[in-house]
Every structure is written in structure tokens, then in C-alpha cells.
Amino acid sequence: METFIVLLTGIFGATITFFINCYLAYGPVRASSIASLATALFFYAFPNLFPDFYTHTVPLVFIGGSFIGMVSYRVMKNVWLVPLSGLVFSFFYINSASFFSGYGGALGTAACISIIVVLGFYRILRLFKLKYKKQRSL
């Protein structure tokens, strides 16, 4: 259950920040700040509402996901790539959190890696799709 909550938090953090950033036109820094502050204040105001794991982990994962949501819609032209990047970030966070222990900027680095991975796979799939269409038209 904990893993599922972490995955949903990464997806939600990226998506809500992207929405505030691009569709409400607040800009990337304000969007990330608004969403992250609201989440952190909620868990700070109600620390006994959830188990300790969620109180400490969810705000961190949400902030990392919000870094993904700071991406421009010019870079992420397909909206579904943002939640997918949030999912990749969450998997990355779950599997490598101990690797980045003591390393400053770990959340931003993981968010950047997640965006690069998703965009890379997306572009590779587009290239294969174009190549396949050319072969079929011959």
C-alpha cells in the first residue's frame, strides 16, 4: 500500500503542478511553490492523521513530482507524458532513495532524469512509428 501511495503522489504532484503552471498560467516556480506548500502545510498541520511513513515521505515525493510539473508545455507537448514522468520519478525514488542519501538536489536530479527518460522513449517510439509507416507505404 505504501508503494501505491508513493506512486500516486508522484503522479499527482507532477500533474497538478503542470496544470497550475501551463493552464492557469502561474508560471513554473509559483506553480511548484503553491502545490508543494499546500501539501507540506497539510501534513505539518495534521501530523497524527497518517502514519509516520506518509507524513515524512509524501511531501518529499510530491515536491519531486512538482519539479516535473515545472516543465514547459513546449517540451511536453503531449499532456499524458507529465503523469508518466511522475510515475517514473516515483519508481526512481522508491528504488534509489538510499543512493542519493546526503546528496543535495536529489529530488531535482531524479525529476530531470525522469523527464529525460520519458521524452527519450517517446521520441524513439515516434521514430519507429514513422519508419514503420514509410515501410508500409512502399
Side-chain angles (χ1 to χ4, degrees):
M1 185 65 174
E2 292 174 349
T3 302
F4 182 70
I5 296 296
V6 169
L7 294 175
L8 283 180
T9 302
I11 293 169
F12 185 70
T15 306
I16 195 70
T17 304
F18 187 77
F19 177 77
I20 295 170
N21 175 20
C22 295
Y23 294 102
L24 298 181
Y26 274 83
V29 176
R30 283 189 188 142
S32 178
S33 299
I34 290 168
S36 297
L37 182 64
T39 303
L41 284 177
F42 176 78
F43 281 95
Y44 181 75
F46 305 107
N48 298 325
L49 194 60
F50 299 101
D52 246 6
F53 175 80
Y54 298 125
T55 305
H56 295 292
T57 305
V58 168
L60 287 174
V61 174
F62 189 92
I63 290 169
S66 76
F67 292 156
I68 293 169
M70 293 173 73
V71 70
S72 171
Y73 60 88
R74 292 180 185 132
V75 174
M76 292 272 197
K77 293 183 181 182
N78 290 330
V79 177
W80 62 270
L81 293 176
V82 175
L84 185 61
S85 295
L87 182 67
V88 170
F89 168 79
S90 298
F91 277 118
F92 191 67
Y93 180 85
I94 290 167
N95 294 315
S96 67
S98 61
F99 177 74
F100 286 115
S101 180
Y103 174 71
L107 293 176
T109 303
C112 180
I113 292 169
S114 301
I115 290 172
I116 291 170
V117 165
V118 169
L119 283 176
F121 278 123
Y122 176 70
R123 292 198 174 145
I124 289 170
L125 287 175
R126 283 184 57 203
L127 287 174
F128 281 129
K129 186 176 178 182
L130 289 173
K131 189 175 182 179
Y132 179 72
K133 280 185 178 181
K134 284 183 181 179
Q135 286 179 352
R136 290 203 52 161
S137 66
L138 294 177

